[in-house]
């Protein structure tokens, strides 16, 4: 089923043949082979575990390592003792491994890793860990993957794009209101057509018809762009786009600027209601250990690099960002609730 991070979960019908074909394509992009060792803590009920992990390793003959319950110290032990060279999943295990007091780069033999994260954080981890960091893009309705970077792609594309679509998978960027195709470099809704697209939602013909048009393209609800060379880049969920006084603002743009600040460990930006502008951006920040961050410092950093309407009106500091327990995806719905509660307390 879908993750349910933006709406109620829906059952997604995927065929065995298409999942096997997709796992084989992913394994090829990840250069998985019988002599490779692969680590992931993706749950088997989610595509990160059953397709990117289990199916891909079975088809490639790669050795698969996972854990019943993830702990950074245990992951470090497994990856160093077993000479693990490949990783797929959330960015969090790699970040936490790098913070372990006994971390030694010479003992860490990871060669390449696939996950989704801001480009600046991927670059930082690549420099710290010595492993090539690669982006991916997909959703449950496409079996878990649409596009994936190759480890030999240019470094800027590995970090700041989601790679090229698989052979036989068409990706279009369209104006979500009119359906008109957008030129290269112009953002719009990502739509996908091909052998990896679901057969439909389980027992929900109406939702299926709404999601898949007569032209066969799946309306992903994601905002993205096509870059030179056929690379695609996910920007945000369409529902997450912040409309400030009539201007569209992608949260990712602000998040990437804040991630470049040396005090920031993690960040998420959401829209908050505003009586005059409609919405304004609010930033939630997790500071790096021992490097406290202050709102005025963050505001000045943003003002140096962003137009005024893109600068967050509030900076809220948390120990951790709230996440969905299964896939460790940041829950922006819960962040909006936190902002609403804090704003109410300030007003009282």
């Amino acid at each position: 089923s879908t993750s349910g991070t933006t709406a109620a979960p829906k059952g997604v019908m995927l065929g065995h043949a298409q999942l096997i074909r997709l796992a084989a394509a992913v394994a090829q992009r990840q250069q998985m082979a019988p002599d490779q060792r692969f680590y992931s803590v993706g749950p088997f009920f989610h595509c990160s575990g059953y397709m990117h992990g289990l199916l891909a390793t079975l088809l490639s003959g790669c050795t698969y390592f996972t854990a019943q319950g993830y702990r950074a110290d245990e992951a470090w032990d497994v990856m160093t003792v077993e000479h693990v060279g490949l990783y797929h999943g959330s960015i969090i295990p790699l970040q936490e491994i790098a913070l372990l007091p006994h971390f030694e780069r010479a003992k860490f033999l990871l060669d390449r890793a696939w996950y989704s994260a801001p480009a600046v954080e991927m670059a930082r981890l690549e420099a710290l860990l010595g492993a090539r960091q690669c982006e991916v893009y997909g959703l449950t309705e496409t079996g878990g993957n649409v596009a994936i970077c190759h480890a030999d792609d240019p470094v800027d594309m590995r970090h700041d794009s989601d790679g090229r679509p698989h052979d036989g998978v068409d990706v279009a960027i369209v104006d979500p209101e009119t359906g008109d195709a957008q030129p290269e470099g112009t953002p719009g809704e990502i739509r996908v057509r091909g052998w990896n697209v679901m057969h439909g939602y389980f027992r929900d013909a109406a939702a299926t018809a709404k999601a898949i048009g007569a032209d066969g393209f799946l309306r992903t609800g994601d905002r993205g762009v096509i870059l030179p060379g056929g690379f695609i880049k996910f920007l945000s969920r369409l529902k997450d786009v912040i409309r400030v006084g009539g201007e569209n603002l992608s949260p990712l743009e602000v998040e990437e600027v804040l991630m470049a600040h040396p005090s920031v460990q993690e960040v998420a930006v959401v829209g908050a209601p505003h009586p005059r502008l409609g919405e304004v951006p609010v930033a939630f920040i997790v500071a790096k250990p021992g490097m406290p961050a202050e709102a005025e410092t963050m505001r000045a950093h943003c003002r140096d690099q962003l137009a005024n309407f893109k600068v967050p009106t509030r900076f809220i500091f948390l120990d951790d960002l709230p996440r969905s327990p299964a896939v460790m995806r940041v829950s922006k719905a819960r962040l909006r609730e936190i902002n609403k509660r804090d704003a109410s307390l300030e007003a009282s």
Side-chain angles (χ1 to χ4, degrees):
S1 70
T2 57
S3 62
T5 55
T6 58
K10 295 185 287 293
V12 174
M13 296 188 292
L14 297 163
H16 291 177
Q18 69 185 141
L19 284 173
I20 290 172
R21 181 176 177 182
L22 185 59
V26 167
Q28 183 181 43
R29 290 281 181 97
Q30 295 182 156
Q31 298 170 283
M32 299 171 74
D35 62 344
Q36 295 285 341
R37 290 168 172 250
F38 178 97
Y39 183 87
S40 174
V41 291
F44 292 154
F45 60 81
H46 188 269
C47 56
S48 63
Y50 79 74
M51 191 280 289
H52 283 279
L54 190 60
L55 276 180
T57 52
L58 286 171
L59 291 169
S60 64
C62 190
T63 303
Y64 189 30
F65 293 90
T66 187
Q68 186 172 2
Y70 159 75
R71 295 200 326 268
D73 56 348
E74 181 184 52
W76 163 261
D77 290 342
V78 171
M79 295 176 79
T80 53
V81 171
E82 299 293 346
H83 298 171
V84 170
L86 288 80
Y87 172 84
H88 176 89
S90 163
I91 188 177
I92 295 172
L94 296 184
Q95 291 174 321
E96 293 185 348
I97 285 171
L99 290 172
L100 290 171
H102 51 278
F103 170 79
E104 292 182 46
R105 177 167 168 170
K107 293 182 179 179
F108 197 65
L109 303 179
L110 193 71
D111 178 66
R112 48 200 188 275
W114 283 265
Y115 56 90
S116 292
V120 65
E121 182 64 1
M122 298 191 95
R124 185 186 76 86
L125 283 175
E126 182 156 327
L128 188 64
L129 303 175
R132 290 171 287 177
Q133 312 292 301
C134 308
E135 270 278 8
V136 300
Y137 169 71
L139 56 160
T140 307
E141 288 88 339
T142 62
N145 194 243
V146 171
I148 181 169
C149 286
H150 192 286
D152 295 329
D153 282 336
V155 64
D156 58 333
M157 290 294 99
R158 284 195 286 105
H159 296 169
D160 206 21
S161 88
D162 297 294
R164 297 182 179 94
H166 295 291
D167 292 342
V169 174
D170 298 324
V171 172
I173 305 294
V174 307
D175 182 314
E177 300 297 328
T178 66
D180 294 338
Q182 301 290 75
E184 183 181 284
T186 301
E189 183 183 17
I190 302 173
R191 295 190 178 177
V192 181
R193 180 176 63 188
W195 48 265
N196 62 333
V197 172
M198 67 174 180
H199 299 306
Y201 292 117
F202 183 63
R203 294 180 179 173
D204 198 337
T208 300
K210 186 176 180 180
I212 302 176
D215 56 3
F217 274 96
L218 170 72
R219 302 179 178 99
T220 66
D222 292 335
R223 185 170 178 266
V225 64
I226 293 181
L227 304 174
F231 291 86
I232 67 171
K233 180 179 180 179
F234 167 83
L235 296 174
S236 66
R237 293 287 294 166
L238 284 172
K239 292 181 180 179
D240 287 340
V241 171
I242 303 168
R243 294 174 174 84
V244 186
E247 296 283 352
N248 286 344
L249 169 60
S250 170
L252 182 62
E253 181 181 0
V254 185
E255 290 166 357
E256 288 182 337
V257 167
L258 284 167
M259 282 298 300
H261 193 279
S263 296
V264 175
Q265 176 73 34
E266 284 191 281
V267 63
V269 174
V270 302
H274 188 274
R276 182 170 60 86
L277 298 174
E279 284 186 300
V280 290
V282 172
F284 292 82
I285 293 172
V286 176
K288 290 180 180 175
M291 298 183 69
E294 297 180 349
E296 283 308 311
T297 303
M298 296 297 106
R299 187 171 287 110
H301 175 74
C302 289
R303 283 176 175 162
D304 285 343
Q305 301 179 59
L306 294 168
N308 284 340
F309 79 91
K310 299 179 180 180
V311 176
T313 59
R314 302 184 74 207
F315 295 86
I316 300 174
F317 297 90
L318 302 175
D319 292 334
D320 295 290
L321 296 179
R323 298 178 185 273
S324 59
V327 296
M328 300 303 291
R329 185 177 298 149
V330 173
S331 172
K332 293 201 169 183
R334 289 171 63 189
L335 290 177
R336 293 186 188 97
E337 291 173 3
I338 292 171
N339 177 65
K340 183 178 180 180
R341 182 189 66 218
D342 286 4
S344 297
L345 290 174
E346 285 186 2
S348 61

